[in-house]
Amino acid sequence: MERWRPGIRVEGASDDGTDGPPAGLPLPVLPQFPGMRGFAELDAVIGRLGFRHAADLLRGPAVEAGTSVFATLPKAATDDGFRILDGLWFPARGRAWTRVDLSHIRETAERWRTSSDPRAGTAAALMDTMETVVRDDPMGPRRIVLWQVCRALKDRAGGPTAGAAEALGVHSADAAPLASAVTAGFPGRGPARDAAESVNEVWPGERLREALRIADLLPSHPTDHGLANFLARLNERADAVDRLMAEARRLGTLGELRAATVSWLAAVRRASDDDEAMAGLLGAATLLADASHSPDTASPSDATVRVSVAQRAVTLAWSAARLPRDTARLGGPVSYRVLRFVDGAPEQAVEVPRPEGSLSVLDVGAPIGRRVRYAVLPLRRGQLAGVPRVTGVVLLVPDVEDVRAVAVPDGVRLEWRAHPAAAGFRAVRSTARRVVPEQPTDGVPVDGLLVPAGPRGFVDRPLGPGTYLYEVSCGYPAVPDLPGDGGELVWSPGLRVAATSVEWPSPVEDMTVRRLDDGTVTVDWRPPARGNGRLVEWPGLPMAPGDDVSGTPAARSAAGDGPVSVVPEVRSRVRMTAVSVLGDRAVAGASVLVERPGAVEDLTALRTAPGTAEVRFRWPEPAVLVLVVWEQEGRRRERRVARSRYLAERRVEIPLTGRPCRIEVSAVPRPDAVSIPAVPSTTSLPHVPEPPPQPPLGSRALALLSFPWTPWNSGGAPRGRPWWARWRPGSGG
């Protein structure tokens, strides 16, 4: 039997004459994963340095010219490629070979450190990484180089060939078998290769489920003994976690809460990304916490988490955990992770952001109207180091904020700011029986009287003078976390607010208005039952009788006794409102609108075409309508024109015949106002004679009739206008 040795080329060729190993020899076994944590980063740095693969790094820097007495002597043509199939070998002096082992890596690292190559510093650092690899696995460097070379051969455009392998630095004796093996079974670009290069980043570690997900993309029956051992250890860990979870469930059904919690904790430590294990641990810790919080069970002071609910946030505070001794091996300080989950659904747990090093957390994202719990998990170096501490049920239902009580006529108004999620509001009124400064106001409910309230508050009237106590609560839709919650409202604890109702003046209800012939309007009113009445000119929008107008300039004006005469200016409108005043409070009463539109000015009429006339004028402010009336041949017709339309068109067109016509335009008074009328404006249009008979078509008389102002010898086209277009009122035509 022939024995293969490094540096000795195998004689013969394959039977079919193709590039490959001799007939009857098996293809070399290729690695099925790099088998190194941090391979992606190492591979990227090697590429940035300009190396084809790790063999260029492990070969070391090139020998500089003049450093050897034999450097200038001629050398025989030799193959300087590295051997890779039965280990990683580099050619040495003569026909010897040097294997890449720990001593070779140390020597090469020293050569890089003393080299003048600009890449030397980074290359020496990479050699330190290679030293770690070879200490863990003597064949580790060969596995990395072989993986990179196989990947390059597989991805080249022409496919794997012996020539391509030799171009990558592989010895000619190994090039053909290597190319054949790559063609036969090395994975191409895709999920399988990505999984092979990334699985070591996850495992060994605590992310067991992520490692299993990636391992599903790898060969299930690997030919690579390194991958086979890797998958065996991974599956062994998965089986151990499954056994721990099964044991935890069994203990839970037996009521052994503490033992079940310990089993769940052991499962989570071995698989930190196992959602089922974490949910089981939180569920067991919840039952254990509820049992320890019962009045009959003594609880250590450091086992509880203090919870406070303030309006729209939940605050948690806890003491440092006393951890088991077996976690001391992890080393490092203790940190904490806070989870929030719906009561009864630990699988929905989410992490609450927390300041680093703090023993408290403020949760501003707690859901409204849901029963939730919080779990504080102690960690050491990112690994769970003890049983989580779980709180009782926390229900966040904030009350209203920024409550303000204001006295209004015959009652009080409460204003507030509510949470947007609030769907119901409830206010219960009580009669105050003790009012002490800086002390709560106590009250007795009046038959459980509910006051209708809304998102912004309510107005409660009528009320007699006195102090009242209101308890305001917000209702939030209950999420069906537990049976019986659907369709109900969860109410907030309630906020107690005191409000004082005071005596207000009565509004003026009756008002008498008389218009005199001289253009004066006299307004009189009946005095109110409470307070003093006065008539004021109201500048803004009209107020409803009984509206609060305290503090307005109109309410502070001088009181008017008896009837008041109003003479508005021409082209103006004024609203007179009766205001009742009592102390510093005032309410609006009845009101009247008095207007005095101006006369229609600059009225003109013009016939624009046979049967049509155009009327123009200056609008009589502040009227909103005008009435256009025209009389012709004993017949009267009229049209109402709106202010907006006239200002847009600037004219009014009316149908007329050629007979004489009288036109009258006047302002239309508002139906809700007392108007001082102005004298209507009039104008007239005279009779228009009938046109003379039409001369024969094409005659000179027709041309002279149509264009009387254009001489025939003007040298241009005849110009002129028909006689009815030239006629204007008063022109005598």
Side-chain angles (χ1 to χ4, degrees):
M1 182 177 66
E2 185 178 1
R3 185 184 298 255
W4 288 5
R5 301 188 182 196
I8 300 178
R9 185 178 182 87
V10 178
E11 299 295 335
S14 59
D15 295 339
D16 56 3
T18 59
D19 213 6
L25 294 180
L27 292 175
V29 177
L30 301 181
Q32 293 177 309
F33 79 134
M36 170 193 173
R37 185 184 295 271
F39 171 78
E41 183 179 358
L42 174 68
D43 186 59
V45 176
I46 288 175
R48 287 197 298 269
L49 291 179
F51 296 137
R52 296 169 297 179
H53 38 66
D56 292 346
L57 170 72
L58 294 169
R59 187 186 292 269
V63 179
E64 300 179 5
T67 59
S68 172
V69 294
F70 303 102
T72 58
L73 297 179
K75 298 193 327 180
T78 58
D79 189 344
D80 290 334
F82 57 88
R83 301 297 297 267
I84 191 68
L85 296 183
D86 53 354
L88 183 56
W89 302 78
F90 288 110
R93 290 183 179 179
R95 300 187 64 183
W97 291 83
T98 178
R99 186 168 64 91
V100 176
D101 53 9
L102 179 60
S103 61
H104 173 85
I105 289 177
R106 286 178 174 177
E107 294 174 1
T108 306
E110 184 63 26
R111 290 171 53 199
W112 276 117
R113 278 188 285 269
T114 57
S115 174
S116 60
D117 193 308
R119 305 171 296 179
T122 306
L126 293 181
M127 293 303 298
D128 293 339
T129 303
M130 284 296 181
E131 182 175 346
T132 303
V133 171
V134 77
R135 287 181 180 274
D136 293 340
D137 180 10
M139 297 296 287
R142 181 252 185 188
R143 174 182 293 272
I144 294 173
V145 173
L146 188 55
W147 180 269
Q148 291 177 314
V149 172
C150 293
R151 185 182 60 186
L153 291 174
K154 188 71 174 183
D155 295 344
R156 67 184 301 269
T161 62
E166 293 183 22
L168 290 174
V170 180
H171 194 274
S172 57
D174 292 350
L178 178 61
S180 299
V182 171
T183 303
F186 193 82
R189 290 190 180 96
R193 185 195 292 179
D194 295 339
E197 294 183 354
S198 62
V199 68
N200 279 109
E201 307 301 325
V202 180
W203 183 262
E206 290 77 35
R207 292 186 293 165
L208 176 66
R209 299 306 171 186
E210 176 69 9
L212 290 173
R213 184 190 65 80
I214 298 175
D216 287 340
L217 301 174
L218 300 177
S220 57
H221 300 286
T223 57
D224 180 357
H225 72 280
L227 180 59
N229 294 335
F230 177 88
L231 295 179
R233 294 194 304 271
L234 178 62
N235 293 326
E236 182 180 353
R237 174 62 64 88
D239 293 340
V241 171
D242 291 340
R243 288 194 299 271
L244 285 171
M245 291 194 297
E247 178 67 12
R249 295 189 192 95
R250 187 186 68 82
L251 293 172
T253 57
L254 297 176
E256 300 290 341
L257 298 181
R258 191 169 298 279
T261 304
V262 172
S263 294
W264 283 118
L265 177 61
V268 173
R269 284 180 177 176
R270 289 164 173 78
S272 62
D273 63 340
D274 193 316
D275 296 336
E276 183 181 357
M278 179 59 72
L281 175 61
L282 294 178
T286 299
L287 297 176
L288 191 62
D290 290 345
S292 62
H293 292 166
S294 63
D296 301 333
T297 304
S299 175
S301 59
D302 68 336
T304 59
V305 180
R306 296 176 295 278
V307 182
S308 61
V309 179
Q311 290 299 325
R312 306 187 183 194
V314 178
T315 302
L316 306 176
W318 60 89
S319 56
R322 292 183 295 185
L323 301 178
R325 293 182 179 180
D326 61 343
T327 63
R329 60 180 178 80
L330 299 175
V334 179
S335 60
Y336 297 91
R337 182 185 179 200
V338 179
L339 300 179
R340 180 186 67 236
F341 59 93
V342 176
D343 186 30
E347 67 277 0
Q348 301 177 10
V350 295
E351 186 167 359
V352 180
R354 185 188 65 86
E356 188 66 28
S358 175
L359 295 179
S360 64
V361 65
L362 177 66
D363 184 14
V364 297
I368 303 297
R370 301 200 72 173
R371 296 180 176 90
V372 298
R373 291 178 183 262
Y374 291 87
V376 180
L377 286 66
L379 306 174
R380 264 193 174 133
R381 299 180 61 181
Q383 186 175 352
L384 189 60
V387 177
R389 288 178 281 181
V390 181
T391 68
V393 174
V394 179
L395 183 61
L396 183 61
V397 280
D399 284 313
V400 296
E401 298 177 332
D402 302 334
V403 183
R404 178 172 172 262
V406 182
V408 298
D410 296 332
V412 295
R413 180 176 68 246
L414 261 66
E415 302 172 346
W416 57 62
R417 181 168 56 90
H419 194 281
F425 301 89
R426 183 171 60 192
V428 180
R429 185 180 67 202
S430 308
T431 302
R433 65 184 182 187
R434 182 178 71 249
V435 180
V436 180
E438 300 181 357
Q439 290 188 8
T441 301
D442 197 4
V444 178
V446 182
D447 300 329
L449 182 60
L450 294 176
V451 180
R456 298 184 178 179
F458 65 87
V459 176
D460 188 13
R461 59 161 60 112
L463 293 176
T467 300
Y468 299 87
L469 185 67
Y470 295 89
E471 184 169 351
V472 182
S473 302
C474 295
Y476 299 88
V479 180
D481 298 329
L482 296 176
D485 285 349
E488 299 180 357
L489 291 180
V490 180
W491 293 95
S492 64
L495 190 67
R496 307 183 80 182
V497 181
T500 302
S501 175
V502 297
E503 188 177 17
W504 284 77
S506 302
V508 173
E509 298 179 354
D510 295 332
M511 182 179 290
T512 304
V513 182
R514 290 185 301 164
R515 187 179 65 196
L516 304 181
D517 295 337
D518 60 355
T520 303
V521 176
T522 302
V523 183
D524 198 1
W525 64 92
R526 186 169 62 182
R530 295 187 304 273
N532 298 321
R534 60 187 64 171
L535 190 67
V536 299
E537 182 178 339
W538 195 259
L541 297 174
M543 304 293 290
D547 285 353
D548 182 13
V549 294
S550 304
T552 61
R556 293 194 295 267
S557 61
D561 297 331
V564 174
S565 297
V566 180
V567 184
E569 298 180 357
V570 179
R571 291 181 173 269
S572 67
R573 179 188 299 128
V574 61
R575 179 176 294 277
M576 305 302 296
T577 300
V579 177
S580 302
V581 180
L582 180 63
D584 59 349
R585 297 173 295 279
V587 296
S591 64
V592 61
L593 184 65
V594 181
E595 67 174 3
R596 188 175 183 181
V600 176
E601 300 176 353
D602 304 333
L603 176 62
T604 61
L606 177 66
R607 296 181 188 271
T608 56
T612 304
E614 181 180 276
V615 180
R616 295 177 181 268
F617 53 89
R618 179 185 174 192
W619 189 267
E621 298 290 353
V624 295
L625 290 173
V626 296
L627 180 64
V628 180
V629 180
W630 64 97
E631 298 178 355
Q632 192 177 42
E633 298 180 357
R635 183 183 178 187
R636 174 188 172 93
R637 287 182 289 179
E638 62 183 34
R639 176 180 297 172
R640 293 176 182 266
V641 180
R643 180 178 183 272
S644 59
R645 181 172 181 178
Y646 181 79
L647 295 181
E649 299 178 356
R650 292 295 179 180
R651 69 181 184 277
V652 179
E653 291 186 352
I654 57 177
L656 292 178
T657 65
R659 307 298 294 173
C661 179
R662 179 179 178 274
I663 301 173
E664 178 183 289
V665 182
S666 60
V668 179
R670 286 179 49 154
D672 60 341
V674 177
S675 182
I676 302 175
V679 178
S681 297
T682 61
T683 187
S684 60
L685 290 174
H687 171 72
V688 178
E690 295 292 335
Q694 185 77 11
L697 185 63
S699 66
R700 177 178 177 84
L702 178 60
L704 291 176
L705 180 62
S706 302
F707 308 100
W709 307 110
T710 304
W712 283 103
N713 58 357
S714 62
R719 293 175 297 149
R721 294 173 296 170
W723 62 271
W724 59 80
R726 301 195 309 276
W727 183 86
R728 292 290 185 274
S731 64

